[in-house]
Amino acid sequence: MRLLVLGDLHLGEDGYAGRPHPSWERFDAVLTVGDVAHSRVSVANGTLQQEELVGLEEANAFFEHLDELDVPVLTVPGNHDHHRHEEFIDGTTGVRNLHRATADLGSCHVFGFGSELLDDGPEVRYDPDEMTGIDDPDAWLARTLDRATGDDTEAADALRDRLEEIDQQFATYSDGYETLTSLATAGEDSHGTIGLTHVPPFNTTLDQVAESFPRIGGRHWGSIALTNLLTDHDISFVACGHIHEAEGVETVAGTPCLNAGYRSAYDVALENGDVSITDAEPPVE
């Protein structure tokens, strides 16, 4: 089976309106990893703010053209287009939103997990700068608790807020891991399992943000739940995107993983348990 995997296209950004390449007719199925359309984004008080979605018409036209290939097209929402993703594929017949869902491609089982928020990344987060110089975590925690139980009400409130935030993050991780596990193990009789996600696995070459990027430069910004899924279960192949500058292939816990990057296309062949990944023709501008 030959799959066409498309990276983050960000249609509408800078007027970009890519179209399917004529050579794509040779593929048995198409996978898109999210962010087919682009949102303008701003940063206010250190928080990402989603503004206008551009590329809605271009995304509609793109999926209509993919539908004409008459092969299954599986897609998940990205962090830029998750709130309008269903509109892109409205009216198509062969395109399916695979977010939190599964499908069969030939003898393979495919599961999907896209983005549900703009600031998508690791489910449990920390600031590496805050950890610098901490020689004894237990002593640091004791000092923090002593301060919080004293007269410093502001410190106590800050600690309480941070603990609540961590609880919420662990709840997000648990939901992600349990959902991924349920989806990935649903095809017990299949001859291979394929993952389609927007966010790449955490702490790999596929999720490291460029140093120059504001706010999170240099950090790993992938999914911890996905990395642990790959460690715990036998997955044949994962297609992802999100971190454009980390485009490439890495084997994670025995699973070939492809970050399809920015406006790139890949030819993925799966045969008898083997996976080969080569470049394919990108969209026509």
Side-chain angles (χ1 to χ4, degrees):
M1 179 170 61
R2 295 182 72 180
L3 306 177
L4 171 67
V5 178
L6 300 176
D8 297 19
L9 299 180
H10 288 270
L11 295 171
E13 182 184 21
D14 299 326
Y16 176 70
R19 304 187 313 278
H21 194 281
S23 66
W24 292 357
E25 293 181 354
R26 71 182 187 270
F27 292 101
D28 300 308
V30 180
L31 308 182
T32 77
V33 301
D35 281 355
V36 174
H38 178 74
S39 283
R40 294 192 175 97
V41 176
S42 61
V43 179
N45 298 321
T47 302
L48 290 180
Q49 304 289 330
Q50 196 155 23
E51 299 181 355
E52 178 188 5
L53 177 77
V54 296
L56 178 58
E57 293 183 4
E58 292 86 346
N60 282 331
F62 189 82
F63 277 114
E64 287 174 1
H65 289 310
L66 287 181
D67 206 23
E68 294 171 359
L69 296 175
D70 199 27
V71 298
V73 178
L74 304 179
T75 179
V76 292
N79 62 307
H80 274 252
D81 59 14
H82 64 93
H83 56 306
R84 305 283 296 274
H85 183 253
E86 284 285 352
E87 295 179 49
F88 303 160
I89 61 177
D90 186 39
T92 61
T93 57
V95 182
R96 181 177 175 189
N97 179 7
L98 206 65
H99 179 51
R100 291 181 179 259
T102 64
D104 293 325
L105 283 181
S107 61
C108 289
H109 172 74
V110 188
F111 67 91
F113 197 90
S115 288
E116 297 176 341
L117 72 163
L118 175 63
D119 192 18
D120 210 351
E123 296 84 357
V124 180
R125 304 181 182 186
Y126 71 96
D127 184 347
D129 294 336
E130 293 180 356
M131 306 301 291
T132 303
I134 298 177
D135 299 322
D136 185 345
D138 291 332
W140 171 83
L141 179 59
R143 290 195 304 271
T144 304
L145 290 173
D146 286 343
R147 183 183 177 197
T149 55
D151 296 330
D152 195 338
T153 303
E154 182 178 345
D157 290 342
L159 179 60
R160 187 180 302 107
D161 291 344
R162 179 58 178 147
L163 292 175
E164 290 177 357
E165 181 182 354
I166 291 174
D167 283 343
Q168 292 172 357
Q169 291 178 3
F170 272 101
T172 299
Y173 165 80
S174 296
D175 172 68
Y177 179 78
E178 291 168 6
T179 300
L180 284 167
T181 300
S182 176
L183 295 171
T185 58
E188 295 181 355
D189 297 329
S190 66
H191 294 284
T193 301
I194 298 169
L196 175 61
T197 69
H198 183 60
V199 178
F202 179 75
N203 198 29
T204 64
T205 59
L206 308 179
D207 79 322
Q208 189 159 19
V209 180
E211 292 285 351
S212 59
F213 198 87
R215 194 173 60 93
I216 58 171
R219 299 192 202 179
H220 289 281
W221 210 246
S223 168
I224 302 170
L226 178 57
T227 295
N228 287 343
L229 174 80
L230 299 178
T231 301
D232 296 341
H233 297 278
D234 185 15
I235 308 299
S236 306
F237 168 69
V238 168
C240 59
H242 192 38
I243 310 299
H244 302 164
E245 61 271 31
E247 178 176 352
V249 178
E250 180 179 342
T251 299
V252 180
T255 299
C257 298
L258 165 67
N259 179 337
Y262 180 67
R263 296 179 181 169
S264 298
Y266 286 87
D267 181 339
V268 179
L270 294 93
E271 184 174 1
N272 300 323
D274 294 326
V275 179
S276 66
I277 304 171
T278 56
D279 293 339
E281 298 80 1
V284 178
E285 295 190 37

